[in-house]
Amino acid sequence: EILPSDWSSDVCSSDLSTPALIFIHGFRGSHLGLTPIMRFLQDYQIYAPDLPPFGNAGTLEEYTSDTYADYIIHFIRQQKLIQPILIGHSMGSIISAAIAEKYPDEINHRLILTSPIPEKTSRFFASLQPFVTIFPNNILSFISTRFFFIPKNRQLYKKALQMTRLSGANFANRQDIKKVAHFSATTAISDFTFQKDVLLISGDHDRLVPQNSTKALAKKLHAQLAFVKNSGHLLNYESPEIVANLIRSFISS
C-alpha cells in the first residue's frame, strides 16, 4: 500500500483510556479512504475494518443491513470494545444507522455520519450501479473522483484519485460488488429508527445528496448538522482536518 505521504500514518492510539472510534467506509472503499481523517485523531483508539467484499474482509452470503450490522458487531465483540463511537461515511452511514437500530446498547450514545445518505439513491444513480461490474477500477475511480470531488486544487485532486484507486483496488469478485451496489442504492438512513445523539457532516457541494435531504434528516433525528464549505461527497479527502475537528468537538461536548 503506497499512500500519499502526508495522508499515511499509524492511526491507532495505544491509550486505552480514550474512547474507541470505529470508522466505517463507503461503497468501493476500504479503511484506506478514511486515513486522511484518522491521522488527525491519533490520540483516540481508532479502528477501521474493511467491509465485505472490499479490502481484506472476505465475503458475506448476503449483503443486507442485517448482515452488515452483524459483521460490525462481531468485530466490536472480537476486539472487546465497550460502546465504541461509530463514524460512518456514505454507505457506511447507512450501516451505522442499521447498527444503531439493531444493537443500540452495544455502541455509544453518540453517532457520527459523514456524507450521510438520507434517502434511497435516485433512479438515475441506481441505474448506473450495475456498471461497477463492467468498468475496471482505474476508470471507475476516475469517474467517481471527478464527479464527487469539488476543490479545484490539482495536487489535492491527484492525491484523492490515488486514494480512490487504492481503496477500490481489492475486492472479492464482481458478483459480490453487484450485490453491494444494489444494497447501497436501495437502502438509506431513513429506513431505520434509533435514539442517538447524532452529528451529520456533509459537504456543501455534495452532488449525490441534496442539502434539503440532509437538513430533513437532521430535523428527523434531532441531530447536529455541519456543512463543510467547498467540499463534496469526498470530504474525507477534501477537508479531513475540518471533519476531524468537528468529530473531536462533538465527542468532547
Side-chain angles (χ1 to χ4, degrees), residues 63 82 104 143 183 198 214 239:
Y63 296 93
I82 306 298
I143 293 171
F183 164 77
V198 180
T214 306
S239 306

Side-chain angles (χ1 to χ4, degrees), residues 79-225:
Q79 298 294 325
K80 298 181 180 180
L81 303 178
I82 306 298
Q83 293 188 319
I85 299 172
L86 301 187
I87 303 172
H89 178 259
S90 194
M91 189 182 82
S93 72
I94 302 171
I95 295 168
S96 298
I99 296 167
E101 179 182 82
K102 189 173 183 179
Y103 297 102
D105 296 333
E106 297 206 39
I107 61 173
N108 199 274
H109 67 91
R110 299 181 185 89
L111 182 66
I112 301 168
L113 308 177
T114 68
S115 297
I117 309 296
E119 304 292 341
K120 294 177 178 61
T121 304
S122 68
R123 290 182 179 179
F124 172 73
F125 283 110
S127 68
L128 297 179
Q129 292 285 20
F131 289 100
V132 300
T133 63
I134 299 174
F135 295 115
N137 178 48
N138 283 349
I139 293 176
L140 282 173
S141 297
F142 174 77
I143 293 171
S144 60
T145 306
R146 288 284 293 186
F147 180 78
F148 291 129
F149 195 85
I150 298 302
K152 297 178 180 179
N153 180 320
R154 185 169 178 78
Q155 286 302 112
L156 187 60
Y157 169 78
K158 288 174 66 177
K159 287 198 296 182
L161 179 57
Q162 181 182 353
M163 289 290 280
T164 304
R165 285 172 175 164
L166 284 170
S167 295
N170 297 320
F171 55 87
N173 59 65
R174 296 192 181 280
Q175 245 345 87
D176 284 273
I177 291 289
K178 187 175 182 179
K179 292 176 183 177
V180 181
H182 177 75
F183 164 77
S184 68
T186 58
T187 319
I189 296 169
S190 60
D191 294 334
F192 307 100
T193 302
F194 52 89
Q195 298 293 325
K196 294 290 179 184
D197 298 328
V198 180
L199 171 63
L200 304 176
I201 306 175
S202 183
D204 67 345
H205 286 78
D206 191 328
R207 290 174 175 150
L208 182 62
V209 181
Q211 282 196 21
N212 286 342
S213 295
T214 306
K215 290 177 181 177
L217 178 65
K219 184 176 181 180
K220 176 184 177 182
L221 299 177
H222 304 288
Q224 295 185 37
L225 172 59

